[in-house]
Amino acid sequence: MSGSPADITPLGDSALLVRSALAPALRADLAARPLPGVQETVPALAVLTVLYDPLRTGPEALAAALRERLRGLEAQSPPPGRLRVLPVTFGGPDLAWCAERAGLSEAAFVRALTEVTFTVAFLGFTPGFAFLTGLPPHLQMPRLATPRERVPAGSVALGGPWAGVYPRQTPGGWRIVGRTDVPLFDLGRPDPVWWGPGDRVRWAAVHA
Amino acid sequence: MLEVLRPGLQTTVQDAGRRALALGVPGGGAADPVALRLANALVGNPAGAAGLEVTLTGPTLRFHADALIALCGAPFRAALEGQPFPLGWAVPVPAGATLEVGTAARGLRAVLALRGGLNVPEVLGSRATDLRAGFGGLEGRPLQRGDRLGWSELPRVTPRRAFLSPTLHTPTGPVLTLRVLSTPEATPALLAALTERPFGVSAQADRMGVRLAGEVPAEHDPARVSLPNVPGAVQLPPDGRPILLLPDAGTHGGYPTPLVVAAVDRPALGQLRPGDQVRFQPVTLEAAHAALRARERTLRGVEAALRQWYKEG
């Protein structure tokens, strides 16, 4: 047995939230050997949400089966990701506010962002959106109290411990500090999503 | 083939949705999935065949081939060649006929099923329209005037002359009680604030989510990490106006989720209309599952009876 015991809690009447460092390994295990009644598994950071059909399984039986699976798993070393360089034109409605909060000039704030090597923790929120970790604490920004109803496609943004890019116009509560022209989700490509979990990401400043 | 003469407010191709949440792709599918199942059962389709989801004001459609159709969901007024078109029946439509779907006095959405199912291409395992991401259905968008849609051929059948009991349809407002499960993020004070009084449905209501009016004192925890959203989640952004998540909601979110609407009442979220009042009623997991099983028994009974009819017919 490795890692700490998993914390498994019901979230509504058809999902269990599994908090475990072994979440990625559990997800791979469930894909290879499905449990009856499990409809989908959705990863986040050290988290796996297991959506189940309450007509086919129950939360207690399922939690017991998941604990059993976790006992048999070893922490997997993360697969080496690709390095993806995203061209970013810095600017946007929140850049000045964020720079001031970080105690930097806008130029210094932008330079600091381009020096970060991010890692794609997981995909989610909307097709092509990646949750990027690696933001040092002094560059982390609180989310907006009221999300914007429309954040333009390509917006590069900071939210809590995360950084990310809005692939499409969506509502959003993160602070916008730039934009990119790279299509992050394109069904015309064999691999529609531009990046994958484990990839390392740098932002390269583009001067308009 | 059918032709869109008037598109209605927001008419989209929907089915039972997709399972690609881990790619960041919303589940999608009919916002009132019970309406989809009932309409499909009435015309002898598989439960998840693609139909048209109509919203508030329906479309006007001309059929260029004989069809067998059914409309289920909110009580929309509709007319086929000027004659009243009943909800919850399978109705044969001759080539050349025009169906006008009007407005609903209560509720928001209905599903129009066609025998055979709409045959738009599947994207990521589903024909559902994802309006935000712009794919699926017909070019990822609502229907427009002049659009043409085809359906798969199934053997012609005699429709069963029986209509569905109105009690089978998903309940509609103007006042709705939603059974909810509380989560570990529901403090006693938060739970009380959310369940002691009804909330109005604001004008911000679409296939992603429904914003409620009124404020709930919310803690703003900037350190809360984004977690996978679950169907039926009730989220609380820092401005304290709760959001009910619908099928096109983003797959992950950073706001606290003190409540989750029970599976049995999730179809009702698709019927919430601006101005309606909703009340949250906490229930146990056992009660939520028992209610879901009871509803499912009834639905499966209807589906089995209609399947038997079409097999014998």
PDB file of all heavy atoms in Angstrom, chain A residues 152-169:
ATOM      1  N   PRO A 152     -13.866  36.565 -24.030  1.00  0.00           N
ATOM      2  CA  PRO A 152     -13.590  36.270 -25.444  1.00  0.00           C
ATOM      3  C   PRO A 152     -12.711  35.033 -25.618  1.00  0.00           C
ATOM      4  O   PRO A 152     -11.876  34.721 -24.764  1.00  0.00           O
ATOM      5  CB  PRO A 152     -12.857  37.527 -25.930  1.00  0.00           C
ATOM      6  CG  PRO A 152     -13.070  38.565 -24.891  1.00  0.00           C
ATOM      7  CD  PRO A 152     -13.343  37.862 -23.607  1.00  0.00           C
ATOM      8  N   ALA A 153     -12.902  34.352 -26.745  1.00  0.00           N
ATOM      9  CA  ALA A 153     -12.066  33.200 -27.086  1.00  0.00           C
ATOM     10  C   ALA A 153     -10.609  33.615 -27.116  1.00  0.00           C
ATOM     11  O   ALA A 153     -10.276  34.714 -27.555  1.00  0.00           O
ATOM     12  CB  ALA A 153     -12.480  32.636 -28.434  1.00  0.00           C
ATOM     13  N   GLY A 154      -9.730  32.758 -26.627  1.00  0.00           N
ATOM     14  CA  GLY A 154      -8.296  33.028 -26.652  1.00  0.00           C
ATOM     15  C   GLY A 154      -7.800  33.808 -25.454  1.00  0.00           C
ATOM     16  O   GLY A 154      -6.591  34.055 -25.341  1.00  0.00           O
ATOM     17  N   SER A 155      -8.717  34.188 -24.542  1.00  0.00           N
ATOM     18  CA  SER A 155      -8.283  34.955 -23.368  1.00  0.00           C
ATOM     19  C   SER A 155      -7.376  34.107 -22.489  1.00  0.00           C
ATOM     20  O   SER A 155      -7.692  32.968 -22.157  1.00  0.00           O
ATOM     21  CB  SER A 155      -9.492  35.417 -22.557  1.00  0.00           C
ATOM     22  OG  SER A 155     -10.248  36.356 -23.285  1.00  0.00           O
ATOM     23  N   VAL A 156      -6.226  34.702 -22.098  1.00  0.00           N
ATOM     24  CA  VAL A 156      -5.265  34.054 -21.210  1.00  0.00           C
ATOM     25  C   VAL A 156      -5.519  34.622 -19.822  1.00  0.00           C
ATOM     26  O   VAL A 156      -5.569  35.845 -19.657  1.00  0.00           O
ATOM     27  CB  VAL A 156      -3.831  34.352 -21.696  1.00  0.00           C
ATOM     28  CG1 VAL A 156      -2.809  33.849 -20.698  1.00  0.00           C
ATOM     29  CG2 VAL A 156      -3.605  33.726 -23.077  1.00  0.00           C
ATOM     30  N   ALA A 157      -5.705  33.747 -18.834  1.00  0.00           N
ATOM     31  CA  ALA A 157      -6.245  34.243 -17.568  1.00  0.00           C
ATOM     32  C   ALA A 157      -5.647  33.530 -16.367  1.00  0.00           C
ATOM     33  O   ALA A 157      -5.076  32.437 -16.480  1.00  0.00           O
ATOM     34  CB  ALA A 157      -7.765  34.070 -17.575  1.00  0.00           C
ATOM     35  N   LEU A 158      -5.792  34.200 -15.206  1.00  0.00           N
ATOM     36  CA  LEU A 158      -5.307  33.671 -13.938  1.00  0.00           C
ATOM     37  C   LEU A 158      -6.489  33.547 -12.985  1.00  0.00           C
ATOM     38  O   LEU A 158      -7.302  34.472 -12.872  1.00  0.00           O
ATOM     39  CB  LEU A 158      -4.265  34.630 -13.334  1.00  0.00           C
ATOM     40  CG  LEU A 158      -3.133  35.069 -14.275  1.00  0.00           C
ATOM     41  CD1 LEU A 158      -2.257  36.115 -13.586  1.00  0.00           C
ATOM     42  CD2 LEU A 158      -2.292  33.862 -14.699  1.00  0.00           C
ATOM     43  N   GLY A 159      -6.583  32.408 -12.264  1.00  0.00           N
ATOM     44  CA  GLY A 159      -7.684  32.213 -11.323  1.00  0.00           C
ATOM     45  C   GLY A 159      -7.231  31.358 -10.154  1.00  0.00           C
ATOM     46  O   GLY A 159      -6.956  30.177 -10.323  1.00  0.00           O
ATOM     47  N   GLY A 160      -7.130  31.978  -8.973  1.00  0.00           N
ATOM     48  CA  GLY A 160      -6.647  31.225  -7.820  1.00  0.00           C
ATOM     49  C   GLY A 160      -5.253  30.690  -8.107  1.00  0.00           C
ATOM     50  O   GLY A 160      -4.394  31.415  -8.613  1.00  0.00           O
ATOM     51  N   PRO A 161      -5.000  29.412  -7.816  1.00  0.00           N
ATOM     52  CA  PRO A 161      -3.670  28.865  -8.037  1.00  0.00           C
ATOM     53  C   PRO A 161      -3.390  28.543  -9.515  1.00  0.00           C
ATOM     54  O   PRO A 161      -2.278  28.148  -9.859  1.00  0.00           O
ATOM     55  CB  PRO A 161      -3.688  27.569  -7.220  1.00  0.00           C
ATOM     56  CG  PRO A 161      -5.120  27.171  -7.174  1.00  0.00           C
ATOM     57  CD  PRO A 161      -5.921  28.442  -7.200  1.00  0.00           C
ATOM     58  N   TRP A 162      -4.401  28.721 -10.367  1.00  0.00           N
ATOM     59  CA  TRP A 162      -4.317  28.229 -11.739  1.00  0.00           C
ATOM     60  C   TRP A 162      -4.042  29.331 -12.742  1.00  0.00           C
ATOM     61  O   TRP A 162      -4.353  30.490 -12.521  1.00  0.00           O
ATOM     62  CB  TRP A 162      -5.646  27.577 -12.151  1.00  0.00           C
ATOM     63  CG  TRP A 162      -6.132  26.494 -11.284  1.00  0.00           C
ATOM     64  CD1 TRP A 162      -7.112  26.589 -10.332  1.00  0.00           C
ATOM     65  CD2 TRP A 162      -5.687  25.142 -11.261  1.00  0.00           C
ATOM     66  NE1 TRP A 162      -7.304  25.372  -9.737  1.00  0.00           N
ATOM     67  CE2 TRP A 162      -6.446  24.461 -10.279  1.00  0.00           C
ATOM     68  CE3 TRP A 162      -4.732  24.430 -11.978  1.00  0.00           C
ATOM     69  CZ2 TRP A 162      -6.276  23.112  -9.999  1.00  0.00           C
ATOM     70  CZ3 TRP A 162      -4.559  23.083 -11.696  1.00  0.00           C
ATOM     71  CH2 TRP A 162      -5.327  22.443 -10.715  1.00  0.00           C
ATOM     72  N   ALA A 163      -3.554  28.893 -13.909  1.00  0.00           N
ATOM     73  CA  ALA A 163      -3.569  29.722 -15.102  1.00  0.00           C
ATOM     74  C   ALA A 163      -4.303  28.921 -16.170  1.00  0.00           C
ATOM     75  O   ALA A 163      -4.368  27.691 -16.098  1.00  0.00           O
ATOM     76  CB  ALA A 163      -2.150  30.037 -15.556  1.00  0.00           C
ATOM     77  N   GLY A 164      -4.843  29.614 -17.180  1.00  0.00           N
ATOM     78  CA  GLY A 164      -5.572  28.906 -18.222  1.00  0.00           C
ATOM     79  C   GLY A 164      -5.857  29.807 -19.402  1.00  0.00           C
ATOM     80  O   GLY A 164      -5.577  31.002 -19.363  1.00  0.00           O
ATOM     81  N   VAL A 165      -6.402  29.210 -20.453  1.00  0.00           N
ATOM     82  CA  VAL A 165      -6.753  29.946 -21.662  1.00  0.00           C
ATOM     83  C   VAL A 165      -8.166  29.538 -22.061  1.00  0.00           C
ATOM     84  O   VAL A 165      -8.459  28.338 -22.142  1.00  0.00           O
ATOM     85  CB  VAL A 165      -5.782  29.625 -22.819  1.00  0.00           C
ATOM     86  CG1 VAL A 165      -6.100  30.506 -24.028  1.00  0.00           C
ATOM     87  CG2 VAL A 165      -4.332  29.811 -22.387  1.00  0.00           C
ATOM     88  N   TYR A 166      -9.041  30.521 -22.293  1.00  0.00           N
ATOM     89  CA  TYR A 166     -10.419  30.225 -22.701  1.00  0.00           C
ATOM     90  C   TYR A 166     -10.433  29.890 -24.191  1.00  0.00           C
ATOM     91  O   TYR A 166     -10.183  30.760 -25.011  1.00  0.00           O
ATOM     92  CB  TYR A 166     -11.335  31.418 -22.411  1.00  0.00           C
ATOM     93  CG  TYR A 166     -11.572  31.672 -20.942  1.00  0.00           C
ATOM     94  CD1 TYR A 166     -10.699  32.454 -20.194  1.00  0.00           C
ATOM     95  CD2 TYR A 166     -12.671  31.124 -20.282  1.00  0.00           C
ATOM     96  CE1 TYR A 166     -10.905  32.685 -18.833  1.00  0.00           C
ATOM     97  CE2 TYR A 166     -12.888  31.348 -18.928  1.00  0.00           C
ATOM     98  CZ  TYR A 166     -12.010  32.123 -18.211  1.00  0.00           C
ATOM     99  OH  TYR A 166     -12.221  32.341 -16.876  1.00  0.00           O
ATOM    100  N   PRO A 167     -10.732  28.632 -24.555  1.00  0.00           N
ATOM    101  CA  PRO A 167     -10.682  28.248 -25.976  1.00  0.00           C
ATOM    102  C   PRO A 167     -11.821  28.859 -26.790  1.00  0.00           C
ATOM    103  O   PRO A 167     -11.697  29.039 -27.994  1.00  0.00           O
ATOM    104  CB  PRO A 167     -10.829  26.726 -25.955  1.00  0.00           C
ATOM    105  CG  PRO A 167     -10.648  26.316 -24.531  1.00  0.00           C
ATOM    106  CD  PRO A 167     -11.057  27.486 -23.696  1.00  0.00           C
ATOM    107  N   ARG A 168     -12.942  29.134 -26.118  1.00  0.00           N
ATOM    108  CA  ARG A 168     -14.125  29.666 -26.780  1.00  0.00           C
ATOM    109  C   ARG A 168     -14.655  30.787 -25.914  1.00  0.00           C
ATOM    110  O   ARG A 168     -14.328  30.863 -24.736  1.00  0.00           O
ATOM    111  CB  ARG A 168     -15.225  28.589 -26.848  1.00  0.00           C
ATOM    112  CG  ARG A 168     -14.952  27.490 -27.796  1.00  0.00           C
ATOM    113  CD  ARG A 168     -15.684  27.732 -29.074  1.00  0.00           C
ATOM    114  NE  ARG A 168     -15.212  26.836 -30.104  1.00  0.00           N
ATOM    115  CZ  ARG A 168     -15.619  26.944 -31.373  1.00  0.00           C
ATOM    116  NH1 ARG A 168     -16.477  27.861 -31.714  1.00  0.00           N
ATOM    117  NH2 ARG A 168     -15.150  26.124 -32.270  1.00  0.00           N
ATOM    118  N   GLN A 169     -15.536  31.593 -26.490  1.00  0.00           N
ATOM    119  CA  GLN A 169     -16.221  32.580 -25.650  1.00  0.00           C
ATOM    120  C   GLN A 169     -17.136  31.849 -24.676  1.00  0.00           C
ATOM    121  O   GLN A 169     -17.990  31.070 -25.078  1.00  0.00           O
ATOM    122  CB  GLN A 169     -17.041  33.528 -26.516  1.00  0.00           C
ATOM    123  CG  GLN A 169     -17.817  34.532 -25.675  1.00  0.00           C
ATOM    124  CD  GLN A 169     -18.658  35.454 -26.523  1.00  0.00           C
ATOM    125  OE1 GLN A 169     -18.151  36.288 -27.251  1.00  0.00           O
ATOM    126  NE2 GLN A 169     -19.955  35.293 -26.434  1.00  0.00           N
TER     127      GLN A 169
END
